[in-house]
Amino acid sequence: MLTHLATACGVLGLLTVVPGPDMAVVTRRALVAGRGDALRTVGGIATGLLLWGALTVAGLAAVLAASPAAYLVVKLLGAGYLVLLGAQALWQHRSAGSVAATDAPVAAGSPWRTGLVSNVLNPKIAVFYTGLLPTLAPPGLPTAWAMTLLVLLHAALTLAWLGSYVLLLSKAGPVLHRPRVRRAVDRTTGVVLICFGLVVATASR
């Protein structure tokens, strides 16, 4: 069982550190509103994982993963949300110079809700939780308990990784808030978010 858990931890860890929409959303939040809001965004993302885990254990995520129509709806909603966040980043970068000069956090809605919505509207998590996650379940445990354990492990790894990333960004704060750097980072994160939205929208599964 310990060997299976170690393998599951390694696979989930690799999937967690691969850059994706969650990291782009957290990066944007850290630049717009600071470390505290970014950490709350991470909390929203972890909550989204727990929600997907609960849906998986209840069997609802499998229904979504198996239904082309439901998958398409969630996919398009998620893609639209990422494109919206990217467009906001590109629009707001024009005032980045004044924000950097005052060094004041900018209000941008609930950070926890931003993280939660961006994660919940990612249908690939439903596919991942119903497809790959069961293969990582340690033997000897009831299916529901094994899946719950893996979901909690995934959420913990996500909190640790993205939380550490936010702290790293906060260390680089003085550099990132220079007007030219801030404008460049705003443009980059905006484009990245839009690209992730387009990837989500055009992906088959």
Side-chain angles (χ1 to χ4, degrees), residues 107-126:
S110 168
W112 182 84
R113 185 173 62 246
T114 298
L116 176 66
V117 172
S118 66
N119 192 269
V120 167
L121 291 181
N122 184 356
K124 288 189 175 296
I125 299 178

Side-chain angles (χ1 to χ4, degrees), residues 2-16 136 150 153-154 157:
L2 291 178
T3 301
H4 282 83
L5 282 177
T7 301
C9 186
V11 173
L12 291 173
L14 287 174
L15 292 173
T16 300
L136 302 175
L150 292 177
L153 178 60
H154 189 205
L157 290 172

Side-chain angles (χ1 to χ4, degrees), residues 122-157:
N122 184 356
K124 288 189 175 296
I125 299 178
V127 177
F128 166 66
Y129 274 12
T130 58
L132 178 60
L133 210 60
T135 67
L136 302 175
L141 288 178
T143 302
W145 286 104
M147 293 296 292
T148 299
L149 177 62
L150 292 177
V151 170
L152 290 174
L153 178 60
H154 189 205
L157 290 172

Side-chain angles (χ1 to χ4, degrees), residues 49-173:
L49 293 177
L50 295 177
L51 179 58
W52 275 117
L55 293 175
T56 301
V57 173
L60 298 179
V63 174
L64 173 62
S67 171
Y71 185 90
L72 178 63
V73 170
V74 175
K75 180 178 75 170
L76 293 179
L77 287 173
Y81 187 66
L82 291 175
V83 170
L84 174 63
L85 292 177
Q88 288 177 341
L90 292 177
W91 177 260
Q92 293 173 356
H93 91 272
R94 297 182 178 183
S95 60
S98 61
V99 172
T102 59
D103 199 29
V106 178
S110 168
W112 182 84
R113 185 173 62 246
T114 298
L116 176 66
V117 172
S118 66
N119 192 269
V120 167
L121 291 181
N122 184 356
K124 288 189 175 296
I125 299 178
V127 177
F128 166 66
Y129 274 12
T130 58
L132 178 60
L133 210 60
T135 67
L136 302 175
L141 288 178
T143 302
W145 286 104
M147 293 296 292
T148 299
L149 177 62
L150 292 177
V151 170
L152 290 174
L153 178 60
H154 189 205
L157 290 172
T158 299
L159 282 172
W161 170 248
L162 291 180
S164 299
Y165 174 66
V166 169
L167 295 179
L168 180 63
L169 284 178
S170 69
K171 294 291 185 181

